[in-house]
């Protein structure tokens, strides 16, 4: 009965078969709104969060419109990272499995030959990171003259990673008569300019409040002194009944350090950051997906878009410095309606960053104390005890942030 809803959207029979084989029973909100527009040929700006089903929202109607195999690429999807490109390629292949349409993925860090072979055989859909795609274009391996559908996925991340000039060069090689779609969690001015330049009268779809993280996620902040961060992390892992957890660190070096510490404590740990080779990254993701590792330690490269089902917990070992990254990191959990928990370890110097996150998501995140943990720096929690030092007297409360509250001055206690 629910499958009817998919079948009412105007998708082709073969694509519907693909959807059915994936086990999807009903379209997600972004799919309901985007699919008819894409089928109409409209340009589209989507600001849905990851985990909302946005890949299928563009892939299903694109595959429907492409109909059947021709030798020249007619759809191009640009992604900021290899992992995302590979994930989106897999989604396209899955959805296209009952069509004769072909898909190639193009990214750097691996040899050219396999990609060259794929391009030579003639593919309908290319999923690519911008740099390597440009290389192929410059070597004459790939001509975008027949492109009908263009998707710029995670556009704000492409901007952050300095890819916009490459993206523009690629766009210039696509026909003006094309359908363009852009997905971005935020629309900074540079993306706005790109939209003006590259899109025609786009329709905007915003699913959920753009800035709010997935509703199903419970957020908690654990204030802790710097020297007890690793102890608290170990204790959290002991106490929490998790299936799989991603731990985010600010730096690659920090991620390595935390991962080795956890390995030393007998956790099965995978590491994902950009100093790892492509093979190592794939192996880490694959192992984590399959449950070979229970913990994935990552830098923000993994925060955006990566689809890892059933992540039960996200732990921010370091507070993200950009509020959007908090939302993206937290987006790893609470996917596909699972509830998840998001814990953030916060040291005194993080107060300003935490405040910007709270302002960004328009809510205050409760501070909690891990009961029974041997906190060495108890002043963190003594704000409202009789006789406690006044806020300005306590060292940890050095940062009065905005018109708000002081670090550690929360009443909530367990
Ligand atoms: P995305 O936001 O595209 O990364 O998708 C998030 C996850 O939701 C992926 O694992 C998809 O396979 C899954 N998904 C997408 N559409 C549906 C749907 N209609 N029903 C159930 N799961 C879906």
């Amino acid at each position: 009965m629910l499958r009817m809803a998919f079948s009412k959207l105007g998708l082709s029979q073969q694509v519907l078969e693909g959807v059915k084989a994936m086990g999807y029973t009903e379209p997600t909100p972004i799919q309901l709104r985007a699919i008819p527009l894409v089928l109409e040929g409209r340009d589209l700006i989507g600001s849905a969060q990851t985990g909302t089903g946005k890949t299928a929202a563009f892939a299903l109607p694109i595959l429907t419109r492409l109909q059947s195999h021709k030798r020249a690429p007619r759809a191009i999807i640009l992604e900021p990272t290899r992992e995302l490109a590979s994930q989106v390629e897999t989604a396209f292949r899955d959805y296209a499995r009952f069509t004769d349409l072909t898909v190639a993925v193009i990214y750097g860090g691996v040899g050219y030959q396999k990609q060259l072979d794929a391009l030579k055989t003639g593919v309908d859909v290319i999923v690519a990171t911008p740099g390597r795609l440009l290389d192929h274009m410059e070597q004459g391996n790939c001509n975008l003259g027949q492109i009908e559908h263009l998707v710029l996925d995670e556009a704000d991340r492409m901007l952050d990673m300095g890819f916009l000039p490459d993206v523009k060069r690629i766009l210039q090689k696509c026909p003006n008569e094309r359908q363009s779609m852009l997905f971005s969690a935020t629309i900074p001015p540079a993306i706005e300019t790109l939209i003006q330049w590259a899109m025609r009268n786009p329709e905007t779809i915003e699913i959920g409040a753009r800035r709010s993280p997935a509703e199903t996620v419970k957020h908690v902040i654990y204030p802790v002194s710097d020297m007890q961060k690793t102890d608290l992390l170990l204790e959290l892992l002991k106490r929490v009944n998790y299936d799989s957890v991603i731990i985010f660190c600010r730096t690659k070096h920090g991620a390595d350090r935390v991962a080795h510490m956890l390995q030393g404590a007998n956790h099965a740990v995978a590491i994902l950051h950009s100093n790892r080779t492509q093979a190592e990254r794939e192996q880490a993701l694959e192992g984590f997906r399959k449950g070979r590792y229970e913990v994935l330690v990552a830098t923000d490269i993994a925060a955006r878009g990566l689809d890892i089902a059933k992540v039960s917990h996200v732990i921010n070992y370091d507070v993200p410095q950009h509020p959007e990254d908090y939302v993206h990191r937290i987006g790893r959990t609470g996917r596909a309606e699972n509830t998840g928990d998001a814990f953030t370890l916060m040291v005194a110097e993080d107060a300003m960053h935490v405040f910007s996150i709270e302002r960004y998501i328009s809510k205050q995140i409760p501070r909690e104390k891990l009961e029974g943990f041997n906190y060495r720096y108890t002043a963190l929690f003594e704000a409202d005890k009789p006789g406690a030092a006044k806020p300005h007297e306590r060292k940890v409360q050095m940062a009065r942030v905005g018109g708000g509250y002081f670090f550690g001055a929360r009443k909530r206690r367990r």
Side-chain angles (χ1 to χ4, degrees):
M1 179 191 68
L2 289 168
R3 204 163 67 84
M4 289 299 288
F6 259 118
S7 65
K8 279 185 189 151
L9 293 176
L11 296 168
S12 70
Q13 203 50 46
Q14 293 95 321
V15 169
L16 284 174
E17 288 295 313
V19 169
K20 186 179 167 196
M22 292 298 287
Y24 302 169
T25 49
E26 56 184 325
T28 65
I30 190 166
Q31 290 163 4
L32 275 174
R33 293 186 51 200
I35 290 172
L37 286 169
V38 181
L39 286 174
E40 266 174 43
R42 290 289 306 271
D43 280 8
L44 184 72
I45 300 170
S47 67
Q49 296 161 34
T50 53
T52 53
K54 80 178 152 86
T55 311
F58 62 79
L60 302 177
I62 286 177
L63 291 168
T64 294
R65 295 202 47 174
L66 293 177
Q67 289 187 344
S68 57
H69 180 61
K70 295 197 179 124
R71 284 183 59 85
R74 286 172 295 145
I76 175 94
I77 324 297
L78 294 180
E79 296 288 342
T81 64
R82 307 162 194 182
E83 282 81 8
L84 272 172
S86 157
Q87 188 174 296
V88 168
E89 182 223 7
T90 306
F92 263 90
R93 279 187 199 277
D94 284 336
Y95 304 142
R97 77 175 85 160
F98 297 103
T99 71
D100 64 351
L101 295 163
T102 53
V103 188
V105 66
I106 304 285
Y107 51 68
V110 293
Y112 280 74
Q113 195 57 42
K114 204 169 146 219
Q115 299 175 359
L116 191 55
D117 293 344
L119 291 171
K120 271 193 187 147
T121 58
V123 288
D124 300 291
V125 179
I126 296 178
V127 184
T129 54
R132 177 59 70 93
L133 180 69
L134 267 180
D135 286 352
H136 279 292
M137 288 164 64
E138 278 158 12
Q139 291 170 23
N141 304 337
C142 167
N143 180 336
L144 301 184
Q146 307 290 312
I147 290 294
E148 295 165 11
H149 312 280
L150 164 89
V151 178
L152 303 177
D153 199 13
E154 307 274 341
D156 48 358
R157 178 42 60 114
M158 291 212 257
L159 170 72
D160 290 349
M161 294 173 75
F163 285 153
L164 276 208
D166 283 356
V167 168
K168 286 186 184 157
R169 285 168 64 200
I170 292 169
L171 258 58
Q172 278 164 342
K173 302 288 179 193
C174 295
N176 287 336
E177 276 303 305
R178 59 159 197 264
Q179 179 177 37
S180 309
M181 289 160 254
L182 179 141
F183 294 86
S184 199
T186 54
I187 310 283
I191 301 289
E192 189 60 54
T193 310
L194 179 73
I195 289 171
Q196 300 296 337
W197 176 70
M199 303 185 84
R200 282 173 319 182
N201 189 23
E203 181 82 23
T204 301
I205 298 183
E206 204 168 319
I207 297 293
R210 182 186 297 171
R211 291 176 167 191
S212 65
E215 298 278 303
T216 48
V217 179
K218 279 182 277 159
H219 305 243
V220 179
I221 284 180
Y222 288 99
V224 64
S225 64
D226 210 10
M227 63 185 179
Q228 283 198 294
K229 264 177 116 176
T230 51
D231 290 343
L232 187 77
L233 175 65
L234 284 171
E235 196 58 31
L236 265 176
L237 289 176
K238 253 191 231 161
R239 308 263 188 105
V240 168
N241 189 9
Y242 64 89
D243 298 322
S244 55
V245 52
I246 304 189
I247 298 173
F248 282 105
C249 295
R250 196 171 295 151
T251 63
K252 298 167 201 172
H253 179 66
D256 283 336
R257 206 171 42 78
V258 168
H260 291 137
M261 186 273 295
L262 292 174
Q263 274 160 351
N266 289 334
H267 289 282
V269 186
I271 314 178
L272 191 71
H273 61 59
S274 55
N275 269 9
R276 316 273 295 163
T277 66
Q278 179 62 14
E280 286 170 332
R281 286 153 72 168
E282 275 167 16
Q283 192 257 346
L285 264 181
E286 182 67 11
F288 186 64
R289 280 201 182 106
K290 294 203 163 141
R292 207 162 354 115
Y293 306 110
E294 51 182 355
V295 177
L296 178 69
V297 181
T299 55
D300 281 297
I301 191 170
R304 299 222 176 190
L306 278 189
D307 176 25
I308 304 167
K310 298 205 192 87
V311 173
S312 62
H313 291 77
V314 164
I315 300 179
N316 293 313
Y317 183 80
D318 297 310
V319 172
Q321 292 184 324
H322 303 290
E324 315 89 81
D325 282 333
Y326 181 82
V327 176
H328 284 289
R329 290 180 181 188
I330 300 314
R332 301 305 88 230
T333 183
R335 295 176 76 86
E337 312 300 318
N338 291 326
T339 49
D341 287 325
F343 302 147
T344 301
L345 307 195
M346 168 184 174
V347 299
E349 299 78 69
D350 294 326
M352 287 306 266
H353 292 309
V354 168
F355 184 69
S356 3
I357 290 165
E358 292 182 317
R359 208 168 31 190
Y360 188 76
I361 65 173
S362 307
K363 67 176 163 208
Q364 219 175 40
I365 309 172
R367 274 66 168 159
E368 287 191 9
K369 186 175 178 181
L370 199 62
E371 217 168 312
F373 178 71
N374 186 18
Y375 286 95
R376 284 194 231 160
Y377 195 46
T378 49
L380 287 166
F381 301 99
E382 284 176 352
D384 43 356
K385 279 196 177 161
K390 289 192 180 68
H392 64 274
E393 293 166 358
R394 273 179 285 132
K395 198 174 157 214
V396 71
Q397 289 172 340
M398 57 197 152
R400 181 157 205 276
V401 279
Y405 54 89
F406 295 93
F407 176 84
R410 297 271 306 167
K411 288 212 165 62
R412 185 175 177 132
R413 253 196 263 129
R414 272 193 158 166

